[in-house]
Amino acid sequence: LSSNSTASLSNLNLTSNADGANAIFSTGKNSTVTADHIKIHTKNNSSRGLDSTYGGTIQASNVDITTEGAHCAALATDRGEGNVIVKDARIATSGDGSPCVYSTGNIQLTNGQGEATGSEIAVVEGKNSITLQKVDLTGYKKHGIMLYQSFSGDASVGQATFSAKDSKLTNKSDGPMFYITNTKATATLENTQLVQNGDTLVNVTSGQWGKTDKNGGNFTLNATNQTLKGKILANNISQVTLNLKDHAVWTGSLNEDYAADQANISLTRQAAWNVTSDSYVTTITDETKDFSNIIGNGHTVYYSKADNPSLQGKTFNLRNGGKLAAK
């Protein structure tokens, strides 16, 4: 434990077998822990691997983390935010609510492999962030990535941010790859392989947190040099935006149940959308102007005439059958 202090740790085995027994814990804005070549094994509940609170910082490299209890993320921040910066990690968690990464602060992981057999891959709560690069992480329960706000006091209200580059994320659950509720959130993907069992890429909706009828989400997904597959859904008090940038290809439907408060999409000239079902968009922008990078496959993409005045209510034929039409 470092409380507004400094600690340097190397070549250690750390084991705990009690509730609330984090292996390495940094708390306070003047607290900094550096750790290298650390092997961690915690066995009871609320016993995280690396955990920072109230502005504390942990910088770690070459860590091997195993946790068994509930609420035991391998890399975590908690109340009052914190910073956890890790290079070269091996992660194994098995308890309920124990993702590989849980952020109520700012967590960066570069070069890591991990599995969360009792939880999601990663979770961001409130106006906080997770940044992944060159990782291979797998989650088994509920969703792939969850971005939310619980109002428990652990995380300030604001935009949740998630990014992954040159990575592989595997969602073994039947839930969506991205689940967003009761918050504003942004995810940015680049050259990252997404593997999932279910057919839903994104679900922005109301869950158990927040006030009824005010607990939807507002989510923006940015993709560059990226392959995406699956439905993108939002409920009637939620908004979703998909920005397909250069060399991004998405195969799926947008707002196919016509339920979203808003469903928006943009494509650069070097992006593509393979439509898998009739879709309903609020706004659509495309650098090609003739929408030749949208492959209709016999389906119709309906756009809001009022929200797209430049399209003048026109109907556009799409490649491989189908059309873009005003509604």
Side-chain angles (χ1 to χ4, degrees), residues 21-312:
N22 298 314
I24 297 177
F25 187 29
S26 177
T27 183
K29 64 181 180 180
N30 295 318
S31 177
T32 301
V33 176
T34 58
D36 180 59
H37 285 93
I38 307 294
K39 188 172 183 178
I40 288 168
H41 189 173
T42 71
K43 298 180 179 180
N44 276 32
N45 299 331
S46 302
S47 300
R48 301 158 189 88
L50 310 180
D51 191 12
S52 290
T53 66
Y54 294 107
T57 296
I58 297 173
Q59 294 185 324
S61 57
N62 299 296
V63 292
D64 188 329
I65 302 172
T66 299
T67 70
E68 296 184 32
H71 310 295
C72 294
L75 311 181
T77 53
D78 213 320
R79 185 160 296 215
E81 304 177 11
N83 306 289
V84 176
I85 303 165
V86 181
K87 292 183 179 180
D88 301 312
R90 290 153 300 284
I91 290 168
T93 69
S94 55
D96 179 61
S98 301
C100 296
V101 186
Y102 189 105
S103 180
T104 60
N106 301 296
I107 299 180
Q108 301 174 29
L109 173 60
T110 304
N111 294 327
Q113 298 83 40
E115 286 192 336
T117 58
S119 187
E120 300 92 344
I121 300 166
V123 177
V124 180
E125 181 176 355
K127 67 166 192 64
N128 299 297
S129 68
I130 291 175
T131 302
L132 306 176
Q133 187 167 359
K134 296 181 179 178
V135 305
D136 184 348
L137 301 179
T138 301
Y140 283 76
K141 303 290 185 178
K142 299 179 182 178
H143 329 286
I145 310 295
M146 182 167 76
L147 311 174
Y148 84 120
Q149 171 59 263
S150 71
F151 291 134
S152 67
D154 288 341
S156 299
V157 175
Q159 180 167 286
T161 303
F162 175 88
S163 68
K165 183 178 180 181
D166 300 329
S167 296
K168 181 180 179 182
L169 305 175
T170 302
N171 173 18
K172 293 284 191 179
S173 80
D174 292 329
M177 177 59 76
F178 289 93
Y179 177 76
I180 299 89
T181 185
N182 201 37
T183 194
K184 185 174 182 179
T186 299
T188 300
L189 301 174
E190 183 174 352
N191 191 37
T192 290
Q193 183 182 0
L194 303 180
V195 181
Q196 63 186 89
N197 290 337
D199 62 359
T200 301
L201 176 64
V202 172
N203 190 15
V204 191
T205 189
S206 305
Q208 67 191 77
W209 302 277
K211 296 181 180 179
T212 302
D213 296 328
K214 295 183 178 179
N215 60 344
N218 185 330
F219 180 56
T220 299
L221 177 58
N222 302 306
T224 302
N225 190 26
Q226 182 67 45
T227 299
L228 300 172
K229 185 177 181 180
K231 302 176 184 179
I232 295 180
L233 303 171
N235 73 349
N236 65 336
I237 56 171
S238 298
Q239 301 86 42
V240 63
T241 297
L242 175 62
N243 295 319
L244 294 173
K245 301 184 179 183
D246 288 354
H247 308 294
V249 178
W250 171 46
T251 300
S253 62
L254 179 56
N255 190 30
E256 67 174 44
D257 56 359
Y258 198 29
D261 178 55
Q262 288 188 35
N264 309 299
I265 187 169
S266 72
L267 300 91
T268 66
R269 189 177 302 276
Q270 294 182 317
W273 174 15
N274 282 292
V275 185
T276 58
S277 181
D278 288 359
S279 298
Y280 299 84
V281 303
T282 308
T283 63
I284 182 168
T285 58
D286 191 337
E287 287 183 352
T288 67
K289 305 304 181 184
D290 63 355
F291 304 100
S292 58
N293 54 356
I294 300 178
I295 301 89
N297 298 311
H299 303 293
T300 300
V301 177
Y302 296 95
Y303 70 88
S304 166
K305 182 177 180 180
D307 292 297
N308 297 272
S310 65
L311 300 184
Q312 301 177 340

